Amino acid sequence: MSSSIHHYGLIFMFFATAIFSVSSSAAKFKQPNPTAFLFPIRKDTKTLQYYTTLEISSQNNYVQLVLDLGGQHTWLDCGGILSTFKAVDCHSKKCENYKGSGCMRCGTDPVANVGCIHDACGVSYRNPFENREINRGLGEDAMFSDSTNGLSVGLSYQLPKPFPFSCLEPEKYLFEGLSSVTKGMTGLMNTPTSLHAQLSTQFKIPHKFALCLPSTSDSKLGHMFIGGRPYTFPPYNKDIGRELITAKLVSYPVSTAVFYTVGDPLDKYYIDVKSISVDHKLVSFNSSLLSIDKEGTGGTTLSTVTPYTQLETSIYKALVSAFTKAAAFRKMKKVKPVAPFGACYKAKSIAKSQTGPVVPYIDINLGGSKQHWRFYGANSMVSVKKDVLCLAFVDGGPSQSSIVIGGHQMENYLIEFDLVTPKVGISTSLLFYNTTCSQSRLM
């Protein structure tokens, strides 16, 4: 008997030692702290919308959401599948930190009441494609994100705390105008609930994010980085982040939030543009339109939901006139305009190059002799039908912002939003380096 007891004692000691060794090894191989995160960006060529993928509630539960530089929050059709989604209490400190607008009050109408959570932290969101606004309760759930070193995709991390967003199921009319492959939008404004703010705060990484929008279809991925450089796009083997021109973010005198208090920080992204030139010649227009007045009119902003750059009418007419003269000098053959574009040309009359059609350069001056954002043919022109290329800028009318730089002009540029400084950094066209935003990342 004593021999049997001794035998089982040895077995117990063996397993205890093995378990301790495995535990010690697991402790040694703890996940390193991430320095940056990476999200894919796809382009829907039907709607010209750019969207990313978030992993919400549980791993492998992927949701496609349209990117909105002018959006305050993330909102989506949860479809009843997020069983762990919990409302943020409107009386909580968290609701106050998230700039909530108060408490949701749900009525008795079962139709109007669908999706309403009583006493949830109220927030307002907007569908920019249909110009719809609605109040909904903010909630939270788990989220998972992939880290990066700037070149490859690294380990997946769960956010230490839940990610804030709103569920809008099942009010389908609120999703009109969005790409059919998406289920909502994720806002990238400088607000506490934004994707970049949450990752920066929770993982204590620099509050920076960068967009590299793809120019081609859904199968070609662009990238969104959160946390800062390096940014590498093979075969160009240098860090693009070291070669950016910069423009300061302009203080905006009026809050762009639906609900706000005096003194709220800047949330939309306005940059300080000094002038516009075509083939090195200044475009003549009222330069005061480039400044923002005390009512919030004027200035230059960037938008991922505006397909082509919109210009205030007088600026637009001046640009088309200047471009037409420069195009004539280059012997580009003009054809009948195709709406909404004002200047179109026969494609066969235009040479091709590494950076697209060889057409007059359009420079947006950001201050200083070398501080200009240059648009080459790939970004200044668009093919509208067989053998017709048009100037890819449109008349924005008497809009609030004098210039709204749209998605087509941002494609294949690395654009970094540094919210610490604050400033925006812009690369030259990646086509100039024989690369694009659509570069695969090693796992």
Side-chain angles (χ1 to χ4, degrees):
M1 176 69 75
S2 62
S3 176
S4 296
I5 293 173
H6 177 70
H7 175 70
Y8 286 118
L10 290 174
I11 292 175
F12 174 79
M13 290 178 64
F14 171 80
F15 280 111
T17 303
I19 291 170
F20 177 77
S21 298
V22 171
S23 299
S24 299
S25 298
K28 290 179 182 178
F29 290 100
K30 183 180 178 182
Q31 279 188 314
N33 292 328
T35 56
F37 290 91
L38 182 68
F39 294 83
I41 301 179
R42 294 176 173 85
K43 180 181 181 179
D44 182 343
T45 52
K46 292 182 180 179
T47 61
L48 305 182
Q49 294 169 17
Y50 307 92
Y51 61 97
T52 191
T53 303
L54 299 191
E55 197 172 1
I56 292 178
S57 189
S58 60
Q59 286 189 299
N60 301 319
N61 185 41
Y62 299 107
V63 183
Q64 316 285 3
L65 301 173
V66 175
L67 291 168
D68 185 6
L69 276 171
Q72 299 178 57
H73 312 286
T74 295
W75 52 273
L76 58 123
D77 176 359
C78 299
I81 58 174
L82 304 184
S83 58
T84 53
F85 178 84
K86 293 183 179 179
V88 174
D89 191 319
C90 64
H91 303 291
S92 66
K93 182 69 175 176
K94 184 178 288 186
C95 183
E96 182 181 335
N97 292 340
Y98 285 162
K99 306 291 185 183
S101 59
C103 296
M104 290 299 299
R105 291 289 179 258
C106 304
T108 56
D109 183 345
V111 176
N113 198 41
V114 169
C116 183
I117 303 173
H118 196 67
D119 276 344
C121 180
V123 294
S124 179
Y125 73 88
R126 184 175 69 95
N127 177 343
F129 306 111
E130 292 294 318
N131 200 28
R132 296 183 188 274
E133 292 185 0
I134 191 171
N135 294 335
R136 265 295 173 263
L138 192 68
E140 296 177 316
D141 208 338
M143 193 177 85
F144 303 82
S145 302
D146 292 332
S147 61
T148 185
N149 61 1
L151 176 63
S152 60
V153 180
L155 298 172
S156 178
Y157 289 80
Q158 180 176 351
L159 271 67
K161 298 177 183 178
F163 178 69
F165 61 95
S166 294
C167 281
L168 271 65
E169 176 261 338
E171 297 155 302
K172 299 300 182 185
Y173 74 94
L174 295 170
F175 296 84
E176 292 176 0
L178 270 69
S179 164
S180 61
V181 299
T182 64
K183 297 187 69 175
M185 305 187 74
T186 186
L188 298 177
M189 285 170 75
N190 188 12
T191 54
T193 57
S194 69
L195 180 62
H196 52 81
Q198 285 291 308
L199 285 168
S200 299
T201 300
Q202 293 199 35
F203 288 99
K204 296 179 172 56
I205 57 178
H207 194 182
K208 301 178 181 181
F209 72 98
L211 300 178
C212 205
L213 301 181
S215 60
T216 51
S217 66
D218 304 4
S219 61
K220 299 291 186 179
L221 301 182
H223 299 88
M224 174 168 60
F225 301 85
I226 295 178
R229 41 177 293 267
Y231 310 119
T232 309
F233 293 86
Y236 189 68
N237 58 10
K238 295 182 181 180
D239 175 12
I240 293 290
R242 292 182 178 274
E243 304 176 19
L244 308 180
I245 62 167
T246 59
K248 66 179 181 180
L249 283 168
V250 180
S251 297
Y252 192 67
V254 180
S255 176
T256 52
V258 177
F259 297 99
Y260 67 95
T261 56
V262 175
D264 275 355
L266 173 72
D267 39 27
K268 272 191 176 182
Y269 305 107
Y270 284 82
I271 58 174
D272 188 19
V273 170
K274 301 295 187 183
S275 62
I276 301 174
S277 62
V278 174
D279 271 356
H280 310 291
K281 294 182 179 180
L282 284 177
V283 177
S284 179
F285 59 87
N286 182 0
S287 61
S288 68
L289 293 169
L290 299 177
S291 301
I292 305 172
D293 63 27
K294 61 182 180 181
E295 281 78 35
T297 301
T300 301
T301 187
L302 296 90
S303 171
T304 49
V305 298
T306 302
Y308 302 101
T309 292
Q310 296 179 354
L311 304 172
E312 184 273 338
T313 298
S314 65
I315 301 177
Y316 174 75
K317 289 180 178 179
L319 176 67
V320 171
S321 176
F323 188 89
T324 300
K325 290 177 183 177
F329 183 77
R330 288 174 178 252
K331 302 188 184 306
M332 291 166 53
K333 187 174 181 181
K334 199 169 185 181
V335 297
K336 184 179 179 180
V338 179
F341 308 108
C344 297
Y345 300 87
K346 193 174 183 62
K348 289 182 180 178
S349 69
I350 303 173
K352 296 179 181 179
S353 73
Q354 181 175 314
T355 54
V358 180
V359 298
Y361 300 127
I362 297 177
D363 291 331
I364 293 181
N365 185 273
L366 304 173
S369 59
K370 295 183 179 180
Q371 289 290 95
H372 58 260
W373 184 353
R374 171 163 291 178
F375 297 125
Y376 297 93
N379 296 88
S380 63
M381 306 298 287
V382 60
S383 177
V384 295
K385 58 183 180 179
K386 187 177 180 179
D387 198 33
V388 175
L389 293 173
C390 294
L391 181 64
F393 293 74
V394 298
D395 187 346
S399 58
Q400 182 179 20
S401 301
S402 296
I403 303 175
V404 180
I405 297 176
H408 185 76
Q409 276 65 46
M410 292 191 276
E411 290 174 354
N412 291 318
Y413 287 84
L414 189 285
I415 303 174
E416 181 187 68
F417 298 82
D418 181 346
L419 301 176
V420 179
T421 309
K423 62 184 178 182
V424 173
I426 305 164
S427 74
T428 190
S429 170
L430 298 190
L431 300 177
F432 194 76
Y433 296 125
N434 196 32
T435 187
T436 69
C437 286
S438 302
Q439 293 300 312
S440 60
R441 304 279 156 176
L442 301 174
M443 299 298 290

